[in-house]
Amino acid sequence: MGKLIPAIKVKNLNFYYGTQKIIESVSMDIYQNQVTTIIGSSGCGKSSFLKSLNRMSELEAEVKVEGRVEFFGQNIYERRVNLNRLRRQISMVFPKPNLFPMSVYDNVAYGVKLIGWHPKVELNEIVESAIKAADLWDEVKNKLHKSALDLSDGQQQRLCIARALAVKPKVLLMDEPCSGLDAFARMKIENIIQNLRCGLTIVIVTHNIQQVTRLSDFTAFFYSNEHRVTQLLEFGTTQKIFTNAINFRTRDYVLARLG
């Protein structure tokens, strides 16, 4: 492993929905071109943390943030930050496919068109490249102008990944990307992550501990305390978290799920 460069630096993050504190004093680095997984019990704030990394949470509720989240040195919570640009650079895939009721092609082209005009030939190339990167091209190349909603759940989720990739993000946030999918569909998405990892920073929230061992370079263990406030108990290389965790809660969580 060469020199690690942080793509995102989280510094003493306190995060509130309204007046309710959700996350307390989280500090960690998310390294460029590495896969970082976030683990912890259900409801412990993992998804809230993930959405704080591209300010997606502000679309859901009034939020307050203390501390800093720096994306290649810039604090993303400064007033002058262009949120559309930020969310293109730090793109997100949700647990359930959230496609638009339009064609396969138009779903992938949607974000690209928002950025600016492209000649048709160039747009076609961008769409094809993104769908290929999501390992979906052979399945949809003859259905590009059919409704995306006619695809299977696994195909729809891969199309969501293609749509996220089409705008050429630097970071891809994935919130339980295999939730509710069968083993074959999960394997497809894991293969995509493996293929993308050398050129993209990826952050995954997952409950699947085996998936963590297969995919991730670094792991963060989040824990919700008795006040239902989320804290980062431990962060390190996945190997260290799984074989030599410092905190007993981390060890207990991993061992219980590895069986």
Side-chain angles (χ1 to χ4, degrees):
M1 198 181 282
K3 185 176 186 300
L4 294 169
I5 299 167
I8 298 174
K9 289 179 83 74
V10 181
K11 299 179 177 180
N12 301 316
L13 178 69
N14 293 324
F15 181 86
Y16 302 77
Y17 275 129
T19 57
Q20 183 184 3
K21 184 184 271 191
I22 305 292
I23 294 167
E24 182 173 72
S25 301
V26 169
S27 295
M28 62 184 274
D29 289 349
I30 294 165
Y31 296 109
Q32 188 175 13
N33 298 352
Q34 302 287 305
V35 176
T36 299
T37 48
I38 298 169
I39 61 173
S41 301
S42 293
C44 77
K46 302 183 298 297
S47 294
S48 296
F49 174 74
L50 200 68
K51 290 175 196 165
S52 77
L53 300 180
N54 70 348
R55 296 180 60 174
M56 194 65 79
S57 43
E58 289 167 39
L59 298 174
E60 300 177 336
E62 191 73 31
V63 306
K64 184 175 94 167
V65 171
E66 296 161 349
R68 295 171 68 85
V69 178
E70 294 179 359
F71 176 53
F72 290 107
Q74 182 187 20
N75 182 10
I76 69 167
Y77 282 94
E78 286 178 0
R79 278 195 181 153
R80 59 193 174 88
V81 167
N82 180 323
L83 289 184
N84 289 329
R85 187 162 177 265
L86 175 72
R87 291 171 187 149
R88 284 199 304 270
Q89 293 181 320
I90 307 177
S91 202
M92 188 157 186
V93 174
F94 295 90
K96 288 191 167 52
N98 59 338
L99 295 171
F100 305 125
M102 51 179 70
S103 72
V104 169
Y105 182 99
D106 286 338
N107 264 280
V108 180
Y110 184 85
V112 182
K113 287 178 177 176
L114 287 180
I115 300 168
W117 183 84
H118 293 267
K120 182 69 172 162
V121 173
E122 190 180 321
L123 190 60
N124 289 348
E125 287 173 355
I126 292 169
V127 169
E128 181 176 339
S129 175
I131 295 174
K132 282 180 174 174
D135 193 17
L136 191 59
W137 180 251
D138 289 341
E139 295 161 62
V140 302
K141 63 185 177 187
N142 297 319
K143 303 176 184 173
L144 292 179
H145 301 291
K146 301 271 175 64
S147 172
L149 303 180
D150 291 341
L151 301 177
S152 71
D153 288 350
Q155 289 173 327
Q156 286 192 29
Q157 190 67 316
R158 280 183 281 147
L159 193 64
C160 289
I161 294 171
R163 185 177 62 191
L165 295 175
V167 295
K168 299 193 166 39
K170 291 186 169 69
V171 178
L172 184 62
L173 308 177
M174 307 183 87
D175 189 1
E176 291 279 359
C178 301
S179 175
L181 299 180
D182 62 31
F184 178 76
R186 283 200 304 273
M187 184 189 72
K188 282 274 196 185
I189 288 175
E190 287 191 15
N191 286 342
I192 294 166
I193 293 166
Q194 293 285 21
N195 291 333
L196 292 173
R197 64 188 306 145
C198 60
L200 195 60
T201 305
I202 301 173
V203 188
I204 309 170
V205 166
T206 182
H207 288 287
N208 186 328
I209 289 294
Q210 283 74 23
Q211 192 175 74
V212 177
T213 62
R214 289 191 292 267
L215 292 177
S216 94
D217 303 294
F218 291 87
T219 297
F221 176 62
F222 280 59
Y223 176 77
S224 185
N225 66 19
E226 65 274 16
H227 305 296
R228 301 204 46 80
V229 175
T230 295
Q231 296 167 317
L232 173 62
L233 282 200
E234 198 158 350
F235 174 74
T237 64
T238 299
Q239 184 178 11
K240 182 175 184 299
I241 295 294
F242 276 62
T243 61
N244 194 24
I246 296 164
N247 192 290
F248 74 93
R249 286 197 173 94
T250 314
R251 290 197 298 271
D252 289 352
Y253 181 87
V254 170
L255 284 171
R257 280 151 187 83
L258 282 176

